Amino acid sequence: MGSMVLPDLMGGVALLLWGLHMVHSGILRAFGPDIRLLLAKALNNRFAAFAAGIALTALLQSSTATALITSSFTSEGLVSLVPALAIMLGANVGTTLIVQILSFNISAVAPVLFVLGLVAFRSGARSRIKDIGRVSIGLGLMLLALHILLDTLAPAENAPGVRVFMNAITGDPVLCIVIGAAVTWAVHSSVASVLLIMSLAYAHFVSPLAALALVLGANIGSAINPVFEGAHRDNPASYRLPLGNLVNRLVGVLLVAPFLRPITEHLQAWQPDLAKLTAEFHMAFNVATAIIFIGLLDTMARLLKRLLPNRVREADPSRPRYLDESALETPSLALADAARETLHMGDHVEIMLRKVMAAMMTDDRALVDQVSKMDNSVDSLDEAIKLYVTKLTRGSLDEREGQRAMEIISFTINLEHIGDIIDKNLSELAIKKIKRRLEFSPEGAEELSAFHKRTMDSLRIAFGIFMSGDVNEARKLLVEKAHLRDTEIAATERHLDRLRDGRPETIETTSLHLDVLRDLRRIHSHICSVAYPVLDAVGELAARRSTELNPAAPSMRPSTQALPMLDAPE
């Protein structure tokens, strides 16, 4: 019997963690944007922030998630430190509410939650209904996991090997605190670890004193994760919030630990049920910590700001501005962040395109060097956006979210290709013109400038289509693509006419002129790629492509009047 306890226990914990994950992800998917909006509005004072922290963590069932969201706000300067610390005090209390509810024997509700969740998930017409179904299934899994844990531990209560092992590792309260912190840090959830401690205490695998010591450790462990995950190493100020929360927990544990034995004796006399005793101690500890520290947040904030100053760093154009890792669990927000970052990348490409043409017309070598540096930034942003969206797609996205993710990756790839054409082709042509001191003919320079202006205008239109999905603008962009192709042909013919006339400047720049036209047309083709998903969504892409492939199909059939002419003798 004893040999099967550990595998069954690990399976129950794994099921519990997966249930927590489903609830957490379902809530974020269904209400993520609303939660962030509520959080932003509740930051006027510490008490409103404290209440928002309780509500948010009770919904998410994860103080770590609340810490990561709040850390992203503080690192961007959207939230001051005092209300952010108040949110974390509320989050520590909020994480105890679900533990309180699950301390009661409500495992019979699990089948009902499974049925309701399955019906909502399978038949929900809207994404939010499906996500609520996910939450219901997750809650059912959590209740089932607790039932499995209790059923696993009950028969093994008298197994001598298991009891000796548990007594050995939980005999010292200090060791219990360390173990509780390590386990909670490993599973990234104080809810899961406290529920496990409740199950162990209920089955008498650990003493009441050891159970409360493990709870203290769990409170420390849940504050460790945001220190590593929510902070940025290049900016000490990003450590203020997670470190302040960790200090609150550590001070609370240091105040309680010396009196843990008498506290255990008094609580046990009042509450004989060890599972409920564990849950109530968990709540009492976090409420007491919040009461103690809510009035000291100003002093703590000043101390943290002094110890961890904000590092003023030079603006790095290759550094992403909008890719928020904490938004990855809310696909709509993450996709919006990725789209904003793609526009940021597009701004770089637009500047490159403007500067390379200016360098070519004014023979400015410094502008060419700037374009080369900007291409490195474009490459870095392209890689960052693709990695970010790839992380997002590892989760389950609905059809529209998956399509939008692919649109973002496709547009970033095309922008990166445009950057390469500018850097590898147009810049090289500009350097060639500068080195050889070549000059375009006035007519040729005017043609290239006009062609370049139309390409720039199309790029700005493409940015609008990328964000709005406007079908009419997408149609106009592809019409402009056809017109620009005709313009290229006409410009090439005029250039050849000047070449036949023996214009010296035309003869010197003939290959240069034609190469610039070709590269600008290639850039325009990459720009137009943004229109294809929009037209494909309304069913126009296939018809348009068939027309482009065979534009003269109706007129190529000879009429009956033309047939005798075909047979006429020469």
Side-chain angles (χ1 to χ4, degrees):
M1 175 65 69
S3 62
M4 292 301 298
V5 171
L6 186 58
D8 290 345
L9 189 64
M10 292 173 63
V13 171
L15 188 62
L16 177 63
L17 289 173
W18 185 249
L20 274 169
H21 169 73
M22 290 192 68
V23 173
H24 171 63
S25 61
I27 290 291
L28 279 179
R29 289 172 184 277
F31 307 105
D34 300 328
I35 287 174
R36 286 182 172 242
L37 183 62
L38 173 66
L39 190 61
K41 289 182 177 179
L43 299 176
N44 296 326
N45 61 75
R46 69 188 66 190
F47 297 104
F50 176 76
I54 293 176
L56 178 59
T57 309
L59 281 174
L60 297 179
Q61 302 184 27
S62 172
S63 59
T64 300
T66 304
L68 292 177
I69 293 173
T70 310
S71 294
S72 70
F73 281 9
T74 54
S75 63
E76 294 173 6
L78 302 177
V79 180
S80 61
L81 189 56
V82 171
L85 289 169
I87 287 174
M88 291 314 304
L89 290 178
N92 298 337
V93 175
T95 194
T96 67
L97 297 180
I98 187 64
V99 173
Q100 278 291 326
I101 294 173
L102 295 178
S103 66
F104 297 95
N105 186 15
I106 55 174
S107 58
V109 182
V112 178
L113 292 173
F114 283 137
V115 172
L116 293 177
L118 181 63
V119 171
F121 189 82
R122 296 292 297 273
S123 61
R126 294 179 301 161
S127 178
R128 179 167 290 188
I129 294 177
K130 290 179 180 291
D131 292 330
I132 293 174
R134 176 192 293 268
V135 173
S136 181
I137 294 173
L139 288 172
L141 289 177
M142 291 175 64
L143 295 177
L144 179 61
L146 289 175
H147 182 69
I148 291 174
L149 288 174
L150 293 177
D151 286 352
T152 298
L153 294 173
E157 180 179 353
N158 298 319
V162 175
R163 184 167 294 279
V164 169
F165 174 74
M166 295 301 297
N167 287 336
I169 64 173
T170 61
D172 182 10
V174 176
L175 181 60
C176 287
I177 293 174
V178 174
I179 292 174
V183 170
T184 306
W185 172 78
V187 301
H188 281 57
S189 173
S190 61
V191 173
S193 57
V194 172
L195 291 176
L196 176 60
I197 295 167
M198 288 167 49
S199 302
L200 293 172
Y202 182 82
H204 301 285
F205 269 80
V206 296
S207 65
L209 177 63
L212 300 194
L214 287 168
V215 168
L216 291 180
N219 280 276
I220 295 175
S222 65
I224 294 175
N225 292 315
V227 175
F228 294 100
E229 299 179 11
H232 306 287
R233 294 183 180 180
D234 58 346
N235 186 8
S238 64
Y239 286 92
R240 292 171 183 170
L241 178 62
L243 192 60
N245 182 48
L246 179 60
V247 169
N248 290 343
R249 297 290 187 99
L250 286 172
V251 172
V253 170
L254 290 174
L255 291 175
V256 172
F259 309 100
L260 195 57
R261 193 174 297 277
I263 290 174
T264 304
E265 293 173 356
H266 283 85
L267 288 178
Q268 197 171 6
W270 173 66
Q271 176 58 270
D273 188 326
L274 295 185
K276 292 182 179 179
L277 181 146
T278 303
E280 288 160 1
F281 173 76
H282 180 47
M283 172 171 275
F285 171 78
N286 283 285
V287 171
T289 304
I291 292 173
I292 292 172
F293 284 100
I294 193 89
L296 303 175
L297 294 182
D298 292 298
T299 303
M300 175 172 284
R302 286 195 296 269
L303 181 61
L304 289 170
K305 289 178 181 178
R306 184 178 302 173
L307 294 176
L308 300 168
N310 192 17
R311 178 178 296 170
V312 180
R313 58 176 183 265
E314 297 180 359
D316 184 0
S318 64
R319 184 183 181 87
R321 293 182 182 178
Y322 308 109
L323 300 183
D324 183 1
E325 294 288 332
S326 68
L328 284 172
E329 296 188 44
T330 310
S332 58
L333 291 177
L335 290 171
D337 287 346
R340 291 177 68 193
E341 196 63 56
T342 303
L343 288 183
H344 176 216
M345 177 183 173
D347 290 339
H348 284 262
V349 172
E350 182 180 358
I351 295 172
M352 289 174 64
L353 186 56
R354 185 187 310 119
K355 285 187 175 182
V356 76
M357 203 63 187
M360 191 169 300
M361 293 303 175
T362 61
D363 295 335
D364 190 340
R365 182 65 181 266
L367 288 178
V368 178
D369 295 336
Q370 292 176 23
V371 167
S372 180
K373 292 179 181 178
M374 293 189 72
D375 184 58
N376 294 331
S377 299
V378 168
D379 291 341
S380 298
L381 292 174
D382 172 58
E383 182 179 356
I385 294 169
K386 286 191 288 190
L387 287 175
Y388 184 81
V389 176
T390 300
K391 289 180 184 178
L392 176 64
T393 55
R394 289 172 185 167
S396 56
L397 304 179
D398 61 32
E399 183 178 354
R400 180 67 192 99
E401 291 167 345
Q403 181 181 352
R404 182 57 174 164
M406 292 304 101
E407 289 173 3
I408 291 172
I409 289 180
S410 175
F411 195 44
T412 57
I413 290 173
N414 279 284
L415 287 175
E416 195 272 335
H417 288 335
I418 293 172
D420 286 343
I421 294 172
I422 295 171
D423 182 45
K424 305 297 190 300
N425 296 75
L426 290 175
S427 292
E428 292 297 324
L429 293 174
I431 292 173
K432 179 180 177 181
K433 178 176 178 291
I434 294 170
K435 283 183 177 180
R436 298 183 181 181
R437 299 185 179 183
L438 303 176
E439 292 295 334
F440 293 117
S441 66
E443 299 88 345
E446 184 178 354
E447 288 173 356
L448 292 177
S449 297
F451 202 97
H452 173 262
K453 182 181 182 303
R454 290 175 67 176
T455 305
M456 292 287 294
D457 292 341
S458 293
L459 181 59
R460 298 187 188 100
I461 293 172
F463 292 154
I465 295 171
F466 174 69
M467 295 303 294
S468 67
D470 191 305
V471 177
N472 289 328
E473 291 297 316
R475 293 191 190 107
K476 291 178 183 177
L477 187 60
L478 292 191
V479 170
E480 174 64 10
K481 178 182 179 182
H483 289 168
L484 204 66
R485 186 167 55 237
D486 295 337
T487 301
E488 180 194 8
I489 295 172
T492 302
E493 290 176 351
R494 287 193 296 270
H495 173 77
L496 294 176
D497 289 340
R498 292 193 296 272
L499 197 61
R500 295 187 193 100
D501 293 339
R503 300 276 294 273
E505 63 271 29
T506 303
I507 295 173
E508 290 178 346
T509 61
T510 179
S511 63
L512 199 66
H513 186 101
L514 296 177
D515 286 346
V516 172
L517 283 176
R518 178 204 61 196
D519 290 333
L520 289 175
R521 193 254 307 155
R522 288 173 60 203
I523 288 172
H524 195 271
S525 294
H526 285 294
I527 291 171
C528 292
S529 66
V530 75
Y532 295 135
V534 176
L535 295 179
D536 189 34
V538 295
E540 294 185 16
L541 185 59
R544 183 177 291 273
R545 279 181 171 169
S546 64
T547 303
E548 289 179 353
L549 290 173
N550 196 12
S555 60
M556 289 178 66
R557 296 173 184 168
S559 65
T560 54
Q561 295 178 349
L563 288 176
M565 296 179 62
L566 293 174
D567 295 332
E570 296 183 355

